[in-house]
Amino acid sequence: MQDMITMALAKGRLAEETFRILEKLGIDCSAPRNPGRQLVVENPDARLRFILVKPSDVPTYVDHGVADLGVVGKDTLLEAGRPLYEVLDLGFGACRLCVAGYPSPARSTVSHATFRVATKYPNVARSYWGSQGQTIEIIELHGSVELGPVIGLSDVILDIVESGATLKANGLQVLEEVCPCSARLVCNRVSLKTHRERMQALIHGIEEVLKEAE
Ligand code: PRP
């Protein structure tokens, strides 16, 4: 179908919150809410197509223009470093990107020549410590990053902190706050021109729903 707008959504909570907003705009999201094994779900009436992907892949789809819009965490956006147009801060999915570790170095079980950082965000880590002129060794992990200092793999972690429960349960604490993060609506720069009216209407509608919720 012509003039479909494609939205890339991170499976899970960010997608759920996005559906809640779209439903307030009168867009039926029952199909993408229950996609089964289907990866592309269309709503022909709203001329919307949803693709449900891994969070870290949302910027890739939008950057390549196969998705016009995407909803993704600011942390993921920073790590991806793609030239996307960040249109709205959606507010949900709020967390902080932090450096965390043991409160005092004496408690650390780590002793390496270089300062080791375990993280799912190697690019952010490189830029954060690079801007301070500090040399680090990055150990890239894909989950349970808190294990780094606990098991002696790294001095600290760079990771998102939401409730702080994971840090607390592992005897770690926030040492430095890098930046606050939340879900962002991003769009492909070319799509904003080719689907100008519909994109602007959708973005404006989402903005209004957010204002009402304030
Ligand atoms: C994230 C993050 C922390 C945790 C923070 O992990 O990497 O581990 O949540 O949340 P909290 O401050 O509320 O405890 P996620 O749950 O995505 O799982 P993962 O460790 O497998 O990446």
Side-chain angles (χ1 to χ4, degrees):
M1 182 185 284
Q2 289 213 324
D3 204 26
M4 274 272 183
I5 285 182
T6 302
M7 215 170 181
L9 297 178
K11 282 185 261 187
R13 176 142 173 257
L14 296 192
E16 292 298 320
E17 294 285 346
T18 308
F19 296 143
R20 272 179 359 110
I21 292 179
L22 294 178
E23 281 164 350
K24 284 189 182 155
L25 289 172
I27 297 169
D28 176 18
C29 293
S30 51
R33 269 186 188 282
N34 302 289
R37 302 292 292 176
Q38 218 179 326
L39 299 171
V40 183
V41 185
E42 295 187 351
N43 176 336
D45 295 334
R47 288 183 290 157
L48 272 179
R49 179 192 289 128
F50 298 95
I51 54 174
L52 302 160
V53 302
K54 274 190 178 271
S56 57
D57 290 338
V58 169
T60 311
Y61 287 97
V62 179
D63 190 22
H64 284 269
V66 288
D68 304 296
L69 290 165
V71 173
V72 65
K74 179 68 178 175
D75 52 319
T76 309
L77 268 185
L78 287 171
E79 179 61 21
R82 290 180 181 268
L84 307 177
Y85 184 31
E86 198 178 306
V87 212
L88 286 177
D89 182 346
L90 298 169
F92 54 79
C95 57
R96 298 174 295 153
L97 202 46
C98 295
V99 178
Y102 284 115
S104 85
R107 281 201 55 196
S108 174
T109 55
V110 189
S111 109
H112 304 114
T114 49
F115 188 70
R116 288 185 169 185
V117 179
T119 187
K120 290 186 264 189
Y121 305 91
N123 294 328
V124 177
R126 211 167 285 120
S127 130
Y128 182 68
W129 275 280
S131 69
Q132 298 171 14
Q134 192 175 342
T135 308
I136 57 162
E137 182 182 343
I138 295 168
I139 298 166
E140 188 172 354
L141 296 176
H142 298 95
S144 305
V145 177
E146 290 82 0
L147 260 177
V150 172
I151 212 154
L153 178 65
S154 69
D155 296 277
V156 296
I157 62 169
L158 173 74
D159 198 17
I160 52 164
V161 178
E162 196 177 344
S163 65
T166 312
L167 288 183
K168 194 170 173 204
N170 292 287
L172 304 173
Q173 72 177 37
V174 171
L175 303 176
E176 290 162 45
E177 190 169 321
V178 177
C179 70
C181 295
S182 53
R184 307 294 155 101
L185 180 69
V186 291
C187 82
N188 178 278
R189 289 173 185 273
V190 177
S191 301
L192 201 54
K193 290 180 187 143
T194 49
H195 297 283
R196 191 178 183 83
E197 271 181 38
R198 291 197 53 223
M199 293 271 280
Q200 282 186 343
L202 191 57
I203 292 165
H204 180 69
I206 294 173
E207 205 168 12
E208 288 302 305
V209 171
L210 294 176
K211 273 189 202 152
E212 274 167 31
E214 271 174 12

